[in-house]
Amino acid sequence: QKEVEQNSGPLSVPEGAIASLNCTYSDRGSQSFFWYRQYSGKSPELIMFIYSNGDKEDGRFTAQLNKASQYVSLLIRDSQPSDSATYLCAVNSGYSTLTFGKGTMLLVSP
Amino acid sequence: NAGVTQTPKFRILKIGQSMTLQCAQDMNHNYMYWYRQDPGMGLKLIYYSVGAGITDKGEVPNGYNVSRSTTEDFPLRLELAAPSQTSVYFCASSSGTGLRETQYFGPGTRLLVL
């Protein structure tokens, strides 16, 4: 059974701070990793993906991957109240499907 | 492009009734998926399809059926609805299985079984 673990939160950060969201996965064969953002009552939307060890930056977002530790994280710099949402980590293990974590709720206070 | 569309947006069913949740995509994607999401939980895969005429079970297929007669459409059938099927259902599609392949989600169908 492939598992993806996330702290459910909520993670509360003040506006302008760095938010750090973490995810661990059980399948060592996992090849690519996705971060989705889901606003309340809405569908998930992709923020970014990563498949190589190290960091990948896209604007205020940085994804970090450490395959040896089976760990992936998402950093959000200069957090804004509009970043308040649930962030879902998803893992592609080389088949046609993704395994999702339960998500971490992020609250950014003005 | 409309992307992934789902109908209806909301539905109330009585126990034992049946219904079909509709999903369509206009991106010419081969891969389509059905998920359910319960409150405070992640997405659980119900069924998926890698092309017209090909479907396979996901993590939680019991109580559901699917068919894929065209590339565009992937309906989900609920037979004999039960309260445990109260959930939000999302359909998604992607173009393939490469490392970068992204799943695009529809707006969801909220289902209440009473």
Side-chain angles (χ1 to χ4, degrees), chain A residues 20-84:
Chain A
S20 177
L21 305 161
N22 305 315
C23 172
T24 59
Y25 58 94
S26 64
D27 184 2
R28 279 201 174 274
S30 300
Q31 298 180 12
S32 53
F33 308 85
F34 300 78
W35 283 101
Y36 282 83
R37 178 176 61 199
Q38 186 176 26
Y39 291 113
S40 180
K42 300 295 185 182
S43 58
E45 56 180 339
L46 181 74
I47 297 175
M48 61 191 306
F49 62 86
I50 186 169
Y51 53 85
S52 298
N53 274 330
D55 295 359
K56 179 182 179 183
E57 187 174 318
D58 184 1
R60 297 188 294 114
F61 299 95
T62 299
Q64 299 175 318
L65 175 61
N66 184 326
K67 289 185 179 180
S69 300
Q70 295 176 242
Y71 176 89
V72 59
S73 65
L74 179 70
L75 301 179
I76 306 175
R77 291 182 300 281
D78 188 23
S79 294
Q80 301 296 309
S82 59
D83 294 325
S84 297

Side-chain angles (χ1 to χ4, degrees), chain B residues 36-95:
Chain B
R36 60 176 287 172
Q37 186 175 39
D38 299 323
M41 304 294 286
L43 295 159
K44 299 290 188 183
L45 183 65
I46 306 171
Y47 272 95
Y48 67 101
S49 170
V50 300
I54 306 171
T55 62
D56 207 349
K57 296 178 180 179
E59 186 180 356
V60 289
N62 292 343
Y64 307 95
N65 277 300
V66 293
S67 60
R68 184 98 180 270
S69 58
T70 67
T71 300
E72 295 77 19
D73 300 299
F74 190 40
L76 177 71
R77 178 79 177 167
L78 277 71
E79 304 283 1
L80 298 175
S84 61
Q85 293 178 305
T86 293
S87 190
V88 179
Y89 292 84
F90 289 104
C91 179
S93 72
S94 72
S95 59

Side-chain angles (χ1 to χ4, degrees), chain A residues 29-34 36 49-51 91-98, chain B residues 28-33 35 45 48-51 54 56 68 93-104:
Chain A
S30 300
Q31 298 180 12
S32 53
F33 308 85
F34 300 78
Y36 282 83
F49 62 86
I50 186 169
Y51 53 85
V91 176
N92 181 328
S93 299
Y95 301 100
S96 310
T97 61
L98 294 178
Chain B
N28 201 32
H29 285 169
N30 286 321
Y31 293 76
M32 296 187 74
Y33 310 84
Y35 294 92
L45 183 65
Y48 67 101
S49 170
V50 300
I54 306 171
D56 207 349
R68 184 98 180 270
S93 72
S94 72
S95 59
T97 58
L99 292 177
R100 306 173 187 223
E101 292 306 331
T102 300
Q103 291 188 16
Y104 297 90

Side-chain angles (χ1 to χ4, degrees), chain A residues 83-106:
Chain A
D83 294 325
S84 297
T86 295
Y87 290 79
L88 301 171
C89 173
V91 176
N92 181 328
S93 299
Y95 301 100
S96 310
T97 61
L98 294 178
T99 300
F100 283 84
K102 293 181 180 180
T104 298
M105 180 182 293
L106 173 66

